[in-house]
Each structure stands twice: as C-alpha cells, then as structure tokens.
Amino acid sequence: RRDISQAVFVIDAQGWDPRYVRSKSALRHAKEIAVTDQDHYPERLGRVVIVNAPYIVSLFWRLMTVVIDRKTQAKVQILSRRADWEPVLQDLIEPHQLPKEYGGEGVSRQSEAD
C-alpha cells in the first residue's frame, strides 16, 4: 500500500471582485479544474476552506456542485465570518504553520506596509 499525502487549501476571498465570479468563462474554467481533479486525483484533496467569502462565492459554488461528486463536495467549506472560519483553520492546521492573521502563531503573510 502506498501512502498518499492530502492537501489542505485555504483560499482567502477577501477583496474578490464579484464580476469575475459571475463570468461564464470563470464558471467553465472552474468546472474543468474540478472535474479533472476529481477524476484523476481524488485522493489528493484533503480539504478546501474558503474564508472571508462574499455571498457570490456561495452562489458560484452551488452552480459548481452539479458537476462535482458528493465526496468532493463534502471536502469544501465556504465561510464568511471570522468567528466561523478561525476555529476550522485552527483545527486543520498546526498553530506554528497557521499565519497570525488567521488565528495561528506562524509567520504573518501580510507585508509590513499593510
């Protein structure tokens, strides 16, 4: 038996422009990526957590679920409020690996100019 690593993807959607999510090309591209990953690399995806998600991201996800199997759907969380996503990230990621701005003890990902 071969051990297969699983990836956890955290996507911060703060500042996303809703116009890009509503385009037909964005939906088509996202579907192509999702289907390819699901069909060829299903065991590699551990979780996807989208934080600071505007409402349009949830609507976009609902459109995507028609082409994504339930097992993959269960690995995706879309969370808008910090009170909802911070404990999820803290549960998934070691404190020293999670940047401070996401509730951990790791190196900040924000530049000092911010």
Side-chain angles (χ1 to χ4, degrees):
R1 181 168 187 256
R2 182 178 68 167
D3 287 332
I4 297 175
S5 298
Q6 290 190 323
V8 174
F9 296 93
V10 178
I11 301 167
D12 190 339
Q14 185 172 7
W16 279 12
D17 187 336
R19 291 178 292 179
Y20 299 122
V21 179
R22 288 186 282 191
S23 75
K24 287 182 182 181
S25 63
L27 182 59
R28 185 178 61 251
H29 183 68
K31 283 181 181 179
E32 290 170 357
I33 291 171
V35 170
T36 299
D37 285 349
Q38 164 185 290
D39 292 348
H40 299 285
Y41 310 103
E43 66 280 353
R44 301 289 290 169
L45 179 62
R47 295 282 289 277
V48 174
V49 182
I50 302 175
V51 301
N52 296 317
Y55 183 69
I56 191 75
V57 173
S58 294
L59 291 176
F60 185 78
W61 174 245
R62 285 189 203 132
L63 293 172
M64 292 290 301
T65 59
V66 298
V67 297
I68 299 174
D69 66 42
R70 294 216 183 269
K71 185 176 177 182
T72 302
Q73 288 178 34
K75 297 178 182 183
V76 177
Q77 285 184 278
I78 300 173
L79 305 165
S80 298
R81 298 178 324 127
R82 183 180 190 101
D84 295 331
W85 57 255
E86 189 172 279
V88 171
L89 296 184
Q90 290 171 336
D91 187 49
L92 289 172
I93 302 169
E94 294 292 327
H96 70 279
Q97 293 179 333
L98 185 62
K100 292 176 184 173
E101 62 268 29
Y102 295 103
E105 301 166 0
V107 175
S108 176
R109 307 291 286 176
Q110 297 175 343
S111 69
E112 293 190 26
D114 290 344

